[in-house]
Each structure stands twice: as C-alpha cells, then as structure tokens.
PDB file of all heavy atoms in Angstrom:
ATOM      1  N   TYR A 196       0.384 -53.193  63.445  1.00 88.00           N
ATOM      2  CA  TYR A 196       0.256 -51.746  63.611  1.00 88.00           C
ATOM      3  C   TYR A 196      -0.901 -51.316  62.634  1.00 88.00           C
ATOM      4  O   TYR A 196      -1.023 -51.892  61.521  1.00 88.00           O
ATOM      5  CB  TYR A 196       1.488 -51.018  63.251  1.00 88.00           C
ATOM      6  CG  TYR A 196       2.739 -51.368  63.912  1.00 88.00           C
ATOM      7  CD1 TYR A 196       3.516 -52.404  63.548  1.00 88.00           C
ATOM      8  CD2 TYR A 196       3.157 -50.582  65.024  1.00 88.00           C
ATOM      9  CE1 TYR A 196       4.659 -52.636  64.331  1.00 88.00           C
ATOM     10  CE2 TYR A 196       4.305 -50.899  65.828  1.00 88.00           C
ATOM     11  CZ  TYR A 196       5.058 -51.936  65.431  1.00 88.00           C
ATOM     12  OH  TYR A 196       6.197 -52.216  66.084  1.00 88.00           O
ATOM     13  N   LEU A 197      -1.386 -50.211  63.025  1.00 84.00           N
ATOM     14  CA  LEU A 197      -2.368 -49.491  62.042  1.00 84.00           C
ATOM     15  C   LEU A 197      -1.643 -48.204  61.700  1.00 84.00           C
ATOM     16  O   LEU A 197      -0.997 -47.637  62.486  1.00 84.00           O
ATOM     17  CB  LEU A 197      -3.729 -49.063  62.672  1.00 84.00           C
ATOM     18  CG  LEU A 197      -4.827 -50.170  62.561  1.00 84.00           C
ATOM     19  CD1 LEU A 197      -6.033 -49.567  63.232  1.00 84.00           C
ATOM     20  CD2 LEU A 197      -5.082 -50.531  61.014  1.00 84.00           C
ATOM     21  N   ALA A 198      -1.754 -47.732  60.436  1.00 81.00           N
ATOM     22  CA  ALA A 198      -1.299 -46.419  60.120  1.00 81.00           C
ATOM     23  C   ALA A 198      -2.154 -45.383  60.790  1.00 81.00           C
ATOM     24  O   ALA A 198      -3.443 -45.255  60.463  1.00 81.00           O
ATOM     25  CB  ALA A 198      -1.376 -46.194  58.579  1.00 81.00           C
ATOM     26  N   GLY A 199      -1.722 -44.527  61.606  1.00 67.00           N
ATOM     27  CA  GLY A 199      -2.433 -43.572  62.549  1.00 67.00           C
ATOM     28  C   GLY A 199      -2.554 -42.259  61.827  1.00 67.00           C
ATOM     29  O   GLY A 199      -1.938 -41.926  60.823  1.00 67.00           O
ATOM     30  N   THR A 200      -3.313 -41.386  62.521  1.00 57.00           N
ATOM     31  CA  THR A 200      -3.439 -40.016  62.135  1.00 57.00           C
ATOM     32  C   THR A 200      -2.620 -39.140  63.220  1.00 57.00           C
ATOM     33  O   THR A 200      -1.613 -38.482  62.930  1.00 57.00           O
ATOM     34  CB  THR A 200      -4.815 -39.546  62.113  1.00 57.00           C
ATOM     35  OG1 THR A 200      -5.557 -39.996  63.309  1.00 57.00           O
ATOM     36  CG2 THR A 200      -5.543 -40.225  60.833  1.00 57.00           C
ATOM     37  N   ALA A 201      -3.202 -39.202  64.390  1.00 56.00           N
ATOM     38  CA  ALA A 201      -2.453 -38.576  65.524  1.00 56.00           C
ATOM     39  C   ALA A 201      -1.143 -39.107  65.739  1.00 56.00           C
ATOM     40  O   ALA A 201      -0.225 -38.504  66.058  1.00 56.00           O
ATOM     41  CB  ALA A 201      -3.306 -38.517  66.733  1.00 56.00           C
ATOM     42  N   GLN A 202      -1.004 -40.453  65.737  1.00 59.00           N
ATOM     43  CA  GLN A 202       0.181 -41.218  65.925  1.00 59.00           C
ATOM     44  C   GLN A 202       0.629 -41.827  64.589  1.00 59.00           C
ATOM     45  O   GLN A 202      -0.267 -42.518  63.906  1.00 59.00           O
ATOM     46  CB  GLN A 202       0.023 -42.330  66.970  1.00 59.00           C
ATOM     47  CG  GLN A 202      -0.522 -41.830  68.414  1.00 59.00           C
ATOM     48  CD  GLN A 202      -0.853 -42.873  69.285  1.00 59.00           C
ATOM     49  OE1 GLN A 202      -0.415 -44.085  69.141  1.00 59.00           O
ATOM     50  NE2 GLN A 202      -1.690 -42.662  70.259  1.00 59.00           N
ATOM     51  N   PRO A 203       1.824 -41.757  64.246  1.00 64.00           N
ATOM     52  CA  PRO A 203       2.279 -42.363  62.988  1.00 64.00           C
ATOM     53  C   PRO A 203       1.989 -43.864  62.937  1.00 64.00           C
ATOM     54  O   PRO A 203       1.692 -44.524  61.860  1.00 64.00           O
ATOM     55  CB  PRO A 203       3.766 -42.069  63.016  1.00 64.00           C
ATOM     56  CG  PRO A 203       4.006 -40.946  63.836  1.00 64.00           C
ATOM     57  CD  PRO A 203       2.988 -41.050  64.934  1.00 64.00           C
ATOM     58  N   LEU A 204       2.156 -44.564  64.160  1.00 73.00           N
ATOM     59  CA  LEU A 204       1.902 -46.045  64.168  1.00 73.00           C
ATOM     60  C   LEU A 204       0.989 -46.254  65.470  1.00 73.00           C
ATOM     61  O   LEU A 204       1.218 -45.694  66.462  1.00 73.00           O
ATOM     62  CB  LEU A 204       3.179 -46.807  64.432  1.00 73.00           C
ATOM     63  CG  LEU A 204       4.193 -46.834  63.339  1.00 73.00           C
ATOM     64  CD1 LEU A 204       5.399 -47.602  63.746  1.00 73.00           C
ATOM     65  CD2 LEU A 204       3.608 -47.489  62.028  1.00 73.00           C
ATOM     66  N   GLU A 205       0.013 -46.922  65.256  1.00 77.00           N
ATOM     67  CA  GLU A 205      -0.940 -47.372  66.304  1.00 77.00           C
ATOM     68  C   GLU A 205      -0.889 -48.956  66.509  1.00 77.00           C
ATOM     69  O   GLU A 205      -1.095 -49.629  65.579  1.00 77.00           O
ATOM     70  CB  GLU A 205      -2.416 -46.830  66.159  1.00 77.00           C
ATOM     71  CG  GLU A 205      -2.478 -45.372  66.027  1.00 77.00           C
ATOM     72  CD  GLU A 205      -3.971 -44.920  65.917  1.00 77.00           C
ATOM     73  OE1 GLU A 205      -4.723 -45.534  66.589  1.00 77.00           O
ATOM     74  OE2 GLU A 205      -4.166 -43.893  65.423  1.00 77.00           O
ATOM     75  N   VAL A 206      -0.542 -49.310  67.808  1.00 79.00           N
ATOM     76  CA  VAL A 206      -0.353 -50.815  67.946  1.00 79.00           C
ATOM     77  C   VAL A 206      -1.808 -51.298  68.404  1.00 79.00           C
ATOM     78  O   VAL A 206      -2.414 -50.916  69.200  1.00 79.00           O
ATOM     79  CB  VAL A 206       0.578 -51.043  69.065  1.00 79.00           C
ATOM     80  CG1 VAL A 206       0.787 -52.504  69.300  1.00 79.00           C
ATOM     81  CG2 VAL A 206       1.872 -50.419  68.711  1.00 79.00           C
ATOM     82  N   VAL A 207      -2.288 -52.300  67.554  1.00 78.00           N
ATOM     83  CA  VAL A 207      -3.565 -52.886  67.861  1.00 78.00           C
ATOM     84  C   VAL A 207      -3.460 -54.460  68.165  1.00 78.00           C
ATOM     85  O   VAL A 207      -4.554 -54.990  68.478  1.00 78.00           O
ATOM     86  CB  VAL A 207      -4.408 -52.660  66.646  1.00 78.00           C
ATOM     87  CG1 VAL A 207      -4.728 -51.230  66.386  1.00 78.00           C
ATOM     88  CG2 VAL A 207      -3.856 -53.324  65.294  1.00 78.00           C
ATOM     89  N   GLY A 208      -2.330 -54.987  68.260  1.00 79.00           N
ATOM     90  CA  GLY A 208      -2.199 -56.418  68.639  1.00 79.00           C
ATOM     91  C   GLY A 208      -0.720 -56.778  68.691  1.00 79.00           C
ATOM     92  O   GLY A 208       0.080 -56.354  68.021  1.00 79.00           O
ATOM     93  N   THR A 209      -0.528 -57.503  69.846  1.00 80.00           N
ATOM     94  CA  THR A 209       0.895 -57.956  70.115  1.00 80.00           C
ATOM     95  C   THR A 209       0.982 -59.326  70.678  1.00 80.00           C
ATOM     96  O   THR A 209       0.002 -59.785  71.290  1.00 80.00           O
ATOM     97  CB  THR A 209       1.773 -56.918  71.061  1.00 80.00           C
ATOM     98  OG1 THR A 209       1.008 -57.039  72.340  1.00 80.00           O
ATOM     99  CG2 THR A 209       1.802 -55.562  70.531  1.00 80.00           C
ATOM    100  N   ALA A 210       2.123 -59.967  70.465  1.00 81.00           N
ATOM    101  CA  ALA A 210       2.327 -61.276  71.190  1.00 81.00           C
ATOM    102  C   ALA A 210       3.875 -61.254  71.543  1.00 81.00           C
ATOM    103  O   ALA A 210       4.731 -61.461  70.698  1.00 81.00           O
ATOM    104  CB  ALA A 210       1.982 -62.452  70.328  1.00 81.00           C
ATOM    105  N   GLY A 211       4.201 -61.007  72.791  1.00 72.00           N
ATOM    106  CA  GLY A 211       5.638 -60.918  73.312  1.00 72.00           C
ATOM    107  C   GLY A 211       6.440 -59.928  72.489  1.00 72.00           C
ATOM    108  O   GLY A 211       7.514 -60.092  72.208  1.00 72.00           O
ATOM    109  N   GLU A 212       5.773 -58.885  72.074  1.00 63.00           N
ATOM    110  CA  GLU A 212       6.405 -57.800  71.222  1.00 63.00           C
ATOM    111  C   GLU A 212       6.703 -56.567  72.053  1.00 63.00           C
ATOM    112  O   GLU A 212       5.750 -55.743  72.276  1.00 63.00           O
ATOM    113  CB  GLU A 212       5.496 -57.582  70.023  1.00 63.00           C
ATOM    114  CG  GLU A 212       5.828 -56.406  69.261  1.00 63.00           C
ATOM    115  CD  GLU A 212       7.072 -56.446  68.487  1.00 63.00           C
ATOM    116  OE1 GLU A 212       8.220 -56.630  69.068  1.00 63.00           O
ATOM    117  OE2 GLU A 212       7.100 -56.347  67.219  1.00 63.00           O
ATOM    118  N   GLU A 213       7.922 -56.356  72.505  1.00 71.00           N
ATOM    119  CA  GLU A 213       8.349 -55.121  73.037  1.00 71.00           C
ATOM    120  C   GLU A 213       8.807 -54.103  72.065  1.00 71.00           C
ATOM    121  O   GLU A 213       8.958 -52.910  72.478  1.00 71.00           O
ATOM    122  CB  GLU A 213       9.367 -55.416  74.191  1.00 71.00           C
ATOM    123  CG  GLU A 213       8.753 -56.176  75.393  1.00 71.00           C
ATOM    124  CD  GLU A 213       7.623 -55.697  76.005  1.00 71.00           C
ATOM    125  OE1 GLU A 213       7.608 -54.564  76.225  1.00 71.00           O
ATOM    126  OE2 GLU A 213       6.716 -56.426  76.344  1.00 71.00           O
ATOM    127  N   MET A 214       9.131 -54.484  70.951  1.00 76.00           N
ATOM    128  CA  MET A 214       9.676 -53.603  69.885  1.00 76.00           C
ATOM    129  C   MET A 214       8.625 -52.608  69.525  1.00 76.00           C
ATOM    130  O   MET A 214       8.979 -51.568  68.980  1.00 76.00           O
ATOM    131  CB  MET A 214      10.212 -54.382  68.654  1.00 76.00           C
ATOM    132  CG  MET A 214      11.515 -55.105  68.888  1.00 76.00           C
ATOM    133  SD  MET A 214      12.764 -54.060  69.468  1.00 76.00           S
ATOM    134  CE  MET A 214      12.721 -54.339  71.327  1.00 76.00           C
ATOM    135  N   ALA A 215       7.330 -52.967  69.685  1.00 76.00           N
ATOM    136  CA  ALA A 215       6.307 -51.991  69.160  1.00 76.00           C
ATOM    137  C   ALA A 215       6.473 -50.605  69.883  1.00 76.00           C
ATOM    138  O   ALA A 215       6.540 -49.667  69.349  1.00 76.00           O
ATOM    139  CB  ALA A 215       5.006 -52.608  69.521  1.00 76.00           C
ATOM    140  N   GLU A 216       6.548 -50.711  71.269  1.00 78.00           N
ATOM    141  CA  GLU A 216       6.640 -49.482  72.109  1.00 78.00           C
ATOM    142  C   GLU A 216       7.928 -48.750  71.818  1.00 78.00           C
ATOM    143  O   GLU A 216       7.942 -47.565  71.454  1.00 78.00           O
ATOM    144  CB  GLU A 216       6.521 -49.764  73.514  1.00 78.00           C
ATOM    145  CG  GLU A 216       6.284 -48.528  74.297  1.00 78.00           C
ATOM    146  CD  GLU A 216       5.641 -48.709  75.689  1.00 78.00           C
ATOM    147  OE1 GLU A 216       5.392 -49.863  75.991  1.00 78.00           O
ATOM    148  OE2 GLU A 216       5.636 -47.757  76.420  1.00 78.00           O
ATOM    149  N   LEU A 217       9.003 -49.563  71.594  1.00 79.00           N
ATOM    150  CA  LEU A 217      10.362 -48.895  71.282  1.00 79.00           C
ATOM    151  C   LEU A 217      10.240 -48.120  69.871  1.00 79.00           C
ATOM    152  O   LEU A 217      10.789 -47.038  69.669  1.00 79.00           O
ATOM    153  CB  LEU A 217      11.371 -49.932  71.098  1.00 79.00           C
ATOM    154  CG  LEU A 217      12.781 -49.587  70.813  1.00 79.00           C
ATOM    155  CD1 LEU A 217      13.333 -48.661  71.918  1.00 79.00           C
ATOM    156  CD2 LEU A 217      13.679 -50.761  70.743  1.00 79.00           C
ATOM    157  N   GLN A 218       9.611 -48.886  68.918  1.00 79.00           N
ATOM    158  CA  GLN A 218       9.588 -48.286  67.537  1.00 79.00           C
ATOM    159  C   GLN A 218       8.707 -46.987  67.502  1.00 79.00           C
ATOM    160  O   GLN A 218       9.035 -46.045  66.810  1.00 79.00           O
ATOM    161  CB  GLN A 218       9.071 -49.326  66.551  1.00 79.00           C
ATOM    162  CG  GLN A 218       9.316 -49.002  65.187  1.00 79.00           C
ATOM    163  CD  GLN A 218       9.301 -50.170  64.226  1.00 79.00           C
ATOM    164  OE1 GLN A 218       9.727 -50.159  63.092  1.00 79.00           O
ATOM    165  NE2 GLN A 218       8.819 -51.351  64.605  1.00 79.00           N
ATOM    166  N   VAL A 219       7.514 -47.151  68.106  1.00 79.00           N
ATOM    167  CA  VAL A 219       6.616 -45.853  68.146  1.00 79.00           C
ATOM    168  C   VAL A 219       7.282 -44.704  68.852  1.00 79.00           C
ATOM    169  O   VAL A 219       7.288 -43.591  68.432  1.00 79.00           O
ATOM    170  CB  VAL A 219       5.304 -46.237  68.859  1.00 79.00           C
ATOM    171  CG1 VAL A 219       4.486 -45.062  69.102  1.00 79.00           C
ATOM    172  CG2 VAL A 219       4.568 -47.222  68.012  1.00 79.00           C
ATOM    173  N   THR A 220       8.034 -44.960  69.975  1.00 81.00           N
ATOM    174  CA  THR A 220       8.696 -43.913  70.801  1.00 81.00           C
ATOM    175  C   THR A 220       9.746 -43.277  69.905  1.00 81.00           C
ATOM    176  O   THR A 220       9.898 -42.095  69.880  1.00 81.00           O
ATOM    177  CB  THR A 220       9.255 -44.493  72.009  1.00 81.00           C
ATOM    178  OG1 THR A 220       8.230 -45.131  72.845  1.00 81.00           O
ATOM    179  CG2 THR A 220       9.917 -43.353  72.926  1.00 81.00           C
ATOM    180  N   MET A 221      10.630 -44.045  69.223  1.00 80.00           N
ATOM    181  CA  MET A 221      11.712 -43.450  68.436  1.00 80.00           C
ATOM    182  C   MET A 221      11.339 -42.882  67.081  1.00 80.00           C
ATOM    183  O   MET A 221      12.094 -42.175  66.507  1.00 80.00           O
ATOM    184  CB  MET A 221      12.766 -44.642  68.410  1.00 80.00           C
ATOM    185  CG  MET A 221      13.266 -44.996  69.629  1.00 80.00           C
ATOM    186  SD  MET A 221      14.610 -46.172  69.524  1.00 80.00           S
ATOM    187  CE  MET A 221      15.360 -45.972  71.217  1.00 80.00           C
ATOM    188  N   GLY A 222      10.119 -43.323  66.535  1.00 79.00           N
ATOM    189  CA  GLY A 222       9.733 -42.726  65.391  1.00 79.00           C
ATOM    190  C   GLY A 222      10.367 -43.253  64.078  1.00 79.00           C
ATOM    191  O   GLY A 222      10.389 -42.564  63.020  1.00 79.00           O
ATOM    192  N   GLU A 223      11.069 -44.280  64.265  1.00 87.00           N
ATOM    193  CA  GLU A 223      11.820 -44.866  63.022  1.00 87.00           C
ATOM    194  C   GLU A 223      11.845 -46.273  63.203  1.00 87.00           C
ATOM    195  O   GLU A 223      11.734 -46.974  64.337  1.00 87.00           O
ATOM    196  CB  GLU A 223      13.151 -44.296  62.900  1.00 87.00           C
ATOM    197  CG  GLU A 223      14.149 -44.639  64.002  1.00 87.00           C
ATOM    198  CD  GLU A 223      15.613 -44.208  63.603  1.00 87.00           C
ATOM    199  OE1 GLU A 223      15.780 -43.239  63.038  1.00 87.00           O
ATOM    200  OE2 GLU A 223      16.499 -44.880  64.139  1.00 87.00           O
ATOM    201  N   GLY A 224      12.056 -47.122  62.117  1.00 90.00           N
ATOM    202  CA  GLY A 224      12.289 -48.432  62.140  1.00 90.00           C
ATOM    203  C   GLY A 224      11.552 -49.215  60.946  1.00 90.00           C
ATOM    204  O   GLY A 224      10.964 -48.489  60.066  1.00 90.00           O
ATOM    205  N   PRO A 225      11.651 -50.446  60.908  1.00 93.00           N
ATOM    206  CA  PRO A 225      11.263 -51.222  59.677  1.00 93.00           C
ATOM    207  C   PRO A 225       9.704 -51.113  59.409  1.00 93.00           C
ATOM    208  O   PRO A 225       9.285 -51.117  58.396  1.00 93.00           O
ATOM    209  CB  PRO A 225      11.612 -52.686  59.965  1.00 93.00           C
ATOM    210  CG  PRO A 225      11.947 -52.713  61.374  1.00 93.00           C
ATOM    211  CD  PRO A 225      12.383 -51.313  61.794  1.00 93.00           C
ATOM    212  N   ALA A 226       8.915 -50.981  60.619  1.00 91.00           N
ATOM    213  CA  ALA A 226       7.442 -50.865  60.496  1.00 91.00           C
ATOM    214  C   ALA A 226       7.066 -49.662  59.766  1.00 91.00           C
ATOM    215  O   ALA A 226       6.195 -49.455  58.811  1.00 91.00           O
ATOM    216  CB  ALA A 226       6.692 -51.121  61.695  1.00 91.00           C
ATOM    217  N   SER A 227       7.682 -48.441  60.257  1.00 88.00           N
ATOM    218  CA  SER A 227       7.432 -47.167  59.676  1.00 88.00           C
ATOM    219  C   SER A 227       7.714 -47.139  58.152  1.00 88.00           C
ATOM    220  O   SER A 227       7.152 -46.603  57.298  1.00 88.00           O
ATOM    221  CB  SER A 227       8.141 -46.103  60.308  1.00 88.00           C
ATOM    222  OG  SER A 227       7.737 -46.035  61.691  1.00 88.00           O
ATOM    223  N   GLU A 228       8.840 -47.850  57.810  1.00 91.00           N
ATOM    224  CA  GLU A 228       9.429 -47.864  56.416  1.00 91.00           C
ATOM    225  C   GLU A 228       8.488 -48.648  55.644  1.00 91.00           C
ATOM    226  O   GLU A 228       8.134 -48.420  54.482  1.00 91.00           O
ATOM    227  CB  GLU A 228      10.905 -48.373  56.420  1.00 91.00           C
ATOM    228  CG  GLU A 228      11.573 -48.228  55.026  1.00 91.00           C
ATOM    229  CD  GLU A 228      12.998 -48.506  55.055  1.00 91.00           C
ATOM    230  OE1 GLU A 228      13.683 -47.991  56.020  1.00 91.00           O
ATOM    231  OE2 GLU A 228      13.514 -49.125  54.177  1.00 91.00           O
ATOM    232  N   ALA A 229       8.058 -49.841  56.153  1.00 91.00           N
ATOM    233  CA  ALA A 229       7.099 -50.627  55.265  1.00 91.00           C
ATOM    234  C   ALA A 229       5.848 -50.021  55.023  1.00 91.00           C
ATOM    235  O   ALA A 229       5.321 -50.102  53.937  1.00 91.00           O
ATOM    236  CB  ALA A 229       6.853 -51.866  56.102  1.00 91.00           C
ATOM    237  N   LEU A 230       5.275 -49.071  55.992  1.00 88.00           N
ATOM    238  CA  LEU A 230       4.110 -48.404  55.724  1.00 88.00           C
ATOM    239  C   LEU A 230       4.279 -47.270  54.621  1.00 88.00           C
ATOM    240  O   LEU A 230       3.534 -47.030  53.876  1.00 88.00           O
ATOM    241  CB  LEU A 230       3.618 -47.776  57.040  1.00 88.00           C
ATOM    242  CG  LEU A 230       2.855 -48.727  57.981  1.00 88.00           C
ATOM    243  CD1 LEU A 230       2.631 -48.101  59.339  1.00 88.00           C
ATOM    244  CD2 LEU A 230       1.481 -49.103  57.318  1.00 88.00           C
ATOM    245  N   ARG A 231       5.409 -46.668  54.863  1.00 88.00           N
ATOM    246  CA  ARG A 231       5.775 -45.551  53.949  1.00 88.00           C
ATOM    247  C   ARG A 231       5.865 -45.966  52.580  1.00 88.00           C
ATOM    248  O   ARG A 231       5.450 -45.286  51.518  1.00 88.00           O
ATOM    249  CB  ARG A 231       6.967 -44.742  54.381  1.00 88.00           C
ATOM    250  CG  ARG A 231       7.342 -43.522  53.641  1.00 88.00           C
ATOM    251  CD  ARG A 231       8.508 -42.808  54.281  1.00 88.00           C
ATOM    252  NE  ARG A 231       9.724 -43.413  54.334  1.00 88.00           N
ATOM    253  CZ  ARG A 231      10.141 -43.943  55.498  1.00 88.00           C
ATOM    254  NH1 ARG A 231       9.557 -43.851  56.736  1.00 88.00           N
ATOM    255  NH2 ARG A 231      11.376 -44.586  55.588  1.00 88.00           N
ATOM    256  N   GLN A 232       6.710 -47.074  52.291  1.00 89.00           N
ATOM    257  CA  GLN A 232       6.886 -47.687  50.943  1.00 89.00           C
ATOM    258  C   GLN A 232       5.850 -48.588  50.486  1.00 89.00           C
ATOM    259  O   GLN A 232       5.732 -48.944  49.331  1.00 89.00           O
ATOM    260  CB  GLN A 232       8.281 -48.310  50.960  1.00 89.00           C
ATOM    261  CG  GLN A 232       9.387 -47.417  51.305  1.00 89.00           C
ATOM    262  CD  GLN A 232      10.715 -48.131  51.325  1.00 89.00           C
ATOM    263  OE1 GLN A 232      10.886 -49.283  51.221  1.00 89.00           O
ATOM    264  NE2 GLN A 232      11.770 -47.323  51.436  1.00 89.00           N
ATOM    265  N   ASN A 233       5.024 -49.048  51.339  1.00 89.00           N
ATOM    266  CA  ASN A 233       3.942 -50.067  51.088  1.00 89.00           C
ATOM    267  C   ASN A 233       4.531 -51.221  50.502  1.00 89.00           C
ATOM    268  O   ASN A 233       4.092 -51.763  49.447  1.00 89.00           O
ATOM    269  CB  ASN A 233       2.887 -49.493  50.161  1.00 89.00           C
ATOM    270  CG  ASN A 233       1.670 -50.270  50.149  1.00 89.00           C
ATOM    271  OD1 ASN A 233       1.402 -51.135  50.915  1.00 89.00           O
ATOM    272  ND2 ASN A 233       0.689 -50.024  49.205  1.00 89.00           N
TER     273      ASN A 233
END
C-alpha cells in the first residue's frame, strides 16, 4: 500500500491478496494502523 491523499490506502502491488480491497473498503485494519503509528 501507499499512504494516499484522496484514498487513505492506495494498493500498488499484490500477490494473491484479496484483503487489500476488503481493508480499503472497510477503512480499518492492520495496514491502516501500521501507517498511522508508523
């Protein structure tokens, strides 16, 4: 993921990863937390 501006998370690469779309749609999850807390 990239930290986005219009989108909180922008997906730029995946491999068998369906959680990316799920996490972006729901607006919460470990990726958002990792970005927020660095």
Side-chain angles (χ1 to χ4, degrees):
Y196 303 88
L197 274 180
T200 51
Q202 303 173 20
L204 295 173
E205 297 186 28
V206 181
V207 294
T209 61
E212 167 68 302
E213 295 303 318
M214 288 303 97
E216 190 159 357
L217 179 65
Q218 197 160 193
V219 172
T220 302
M221 294 184 169
E223 68 173 30
S227 298
E228 187 166 319
L230 279 172
R231 186 171 61 253
Q232 298 181 355
N233 196 12

